[in-house]
């Protein structure tokens, strides 16, 4: 068999995406689909659909499905904001939601908070609150020597990145200056060598420096 090149960026047509939305709607018996529901049953990445149709609701309406006006839980709204903030490396503007294809649209924030500034203030309060601190300490499984789990959850990643000003601690790269920069949170003392998942043992690295670090550790 010959190896064939597949152009993933253009390989899907609008029609194929719409047909798949309708298929999932038929199979699940739901007149309206959330992104999470589609993610579970659909063939394509929801972000591809949003890229093709601008917003999730537009895709739903063109596919003849009902538009969902569901109320998101505050946690979902805040988690989505944290993901976007991490991706772009600075406080998102209202416009950034559509610019960076946020799965949750501005409308959902408007329904909950009224104004974008109120949404941002509530988000900042939440991240500074004890409520968000409590989820930092995830217990490790019994019979390991660790006090914490290896997994770095979103709230903790956000906390570490905001402490590091959304910049790579090694080379200073930031998605705010260069959108191709992808930031990660890394254990300073590796977890495999007894390092814990605590703020003091975590740092922000860009993907290049992160790979460089794992190469030198393996050498
Ligand atoms: Zn770097």
């Amino acid at each position: 068999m010959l190896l064939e090149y597949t152009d993933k960026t253009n390989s899907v047509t609008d029609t194929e995406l719409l047909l798949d939305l309708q298929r999932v709607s038929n199979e699940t018996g739901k007149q309206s689909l959330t992104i999470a529901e589609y993610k579970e049953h659909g063939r394509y990445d929801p972000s591809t659909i949003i890229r093709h149709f601008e917003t999730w609701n537009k895709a739903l309406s063109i596919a003849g499905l009902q538009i969902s006006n569901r109320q998101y839980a505050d946690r979902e709204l805040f988690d989505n904001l944290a993901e976007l903030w991490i991706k772009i490396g600075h406080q998102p503007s209202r416009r950034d939601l559509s610019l960076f294809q946020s799965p949750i649209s501005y409308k959902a924030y408007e329904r909950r908070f009224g104004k974008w500034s109120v949404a941002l203030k509530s988000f900042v309060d939440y991240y500074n609150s004890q409520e968000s601190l409590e989820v930092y300490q995830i217990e490790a499984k019994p019979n390991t020597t660790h006090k914490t789990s290896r997994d770095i959850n979103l709230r903790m990643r956000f906390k570490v990145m905001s402490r590091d000003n959304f910049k790579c601690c090694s080379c200073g790269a930031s998605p705010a200056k260069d959108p191709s920069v992808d930031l990660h949170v890394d254990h300073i003392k590796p977890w495999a060598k007894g390092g814990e998942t605590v703020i003091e043992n975590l740092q922000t690295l860009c993907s290049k420096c992160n790979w460089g670090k794992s190469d030198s550790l393996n050498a």
Side-chain angles (χ1 to χ4, degrees):
M1 279 264 283
L2 285 172
L3 186 64
E4 277 184 65
Y5 167 71
T6 317
D7 186 348
K8 298 234 171 155
T9 51
N10 290 318
S11 57
V12 186
T13 65
D14 286 5
T15 313
E16 285 171 310
L17 295 172
L18 294 172
L19 285 173
D20 200 49
L21 274 169
Q22 289 163 348
R23 177 189 63 81
V24 174
S25 162
N26 286 333
E27 284 176 14
T28 58
K30 288 181 174 158
Q31 293 298 303
S32 184
L33 294 170
T34 64
I35 289 171
E37 283 163 351
Y38 180 77
K39 219 173 196 169
E40 202 183 323
H41 305 281
R43 281 199 190 107
Y44 308 100
D45 196 304
S47 68
T48 309
I49 295 180
I50 294 164
R51 201 166 58 237
H52 278 242
F53 299 98
E54 281 178 73
T55 67
W56 185 251
N57 278 345
K58 259 186 206 167
L60 288 182
S61 105
I62 296 171
L65 306 184
Q66 278 170 18
I67 291 170
S68 73
N69 275 327
R70 90 174 176 94
Q71 301 285 334
Y72 290 90
D74 286 2
R75 267 281 295 276
E76 293 176 281
L77 294 170
F78 291 152
D79 284 355
N80 181 62
L81 230 163
E83 302 258 22
L84 181 61
W85 197 315
I86 287 170
K87 186 170 166 185
I88 65 179
H90 59 79
Q91 178 180 297
S93 69
R94 180 188 149 167
R95 209 173 139 255
D96 288 330
L97 286 172
S98 50
L99 209 58
F100 293 93
Q101 292 150 5
S102 158
I104 301 179
S105 72
Y106 173 68
K107 284 271 168 218
Y109 288 93
E110 196 183 36
R111 277 198 300 275
R112 171 65 182 86
F113 298 105
K115 282 180 175 171
W116 184 239
S117 58
V118 177
L120 285 171
K121 278 176 201 154
S122 313
F123 170 81
V124 169
D125 286 347
Y126 169 71
Y127 265 82
N128 291 334
S129 72
Q130 201 56 35
E131 189 191 344
S132 90
L133 278 166
E134 276 160 14
V135 289
Y136 286 170
Q137 297 297 336
I138 299 172
E139 301 271 321
K141 291 192 185 85
N143 72 39
T144 67
T145 50
H146 282 92
K147 289 190 200 76
T148 53
S149 140
R150 180 180 199 146
D151 189 46
I152 309 166
N153 68 36
L154 176 64
R155 271 160 292 277
M156 198 150 188
R157 273 193 287 137
F158 187 83
K159 202 90 184 170
V160 172
M161 287 191 192
S162 60
R163 180 200 63 195
D164 297 339
N165 297 313
F166 297 91
K167 280 182 196 156
C168 173
C169 291
S170 180
C171 73
S174 154
K177 285 189 202 137
D178 175 359
S180 72
V181 171
D182 196 10
L183 295 179
H184 299 264
V185 170
D186 167 70
H187 288 87
I188 298 170
K189 181 181 180 188
W191 198 84
K193 295 186 177 171
E196 294 288 351
T197 306
V198 289
I199 297 276
E200 301 71 37
N201 189 42
L202 296 172
Q203 63 178 348
T204 306
L205 288 182
C206 72
S207 45
K208 278 183 196 163
C209 293
N210 200 16
W211 289 329
K213 192 188 164 188
S214 52
D215 281 353
S216 63
L217 281 174
N218 292 334

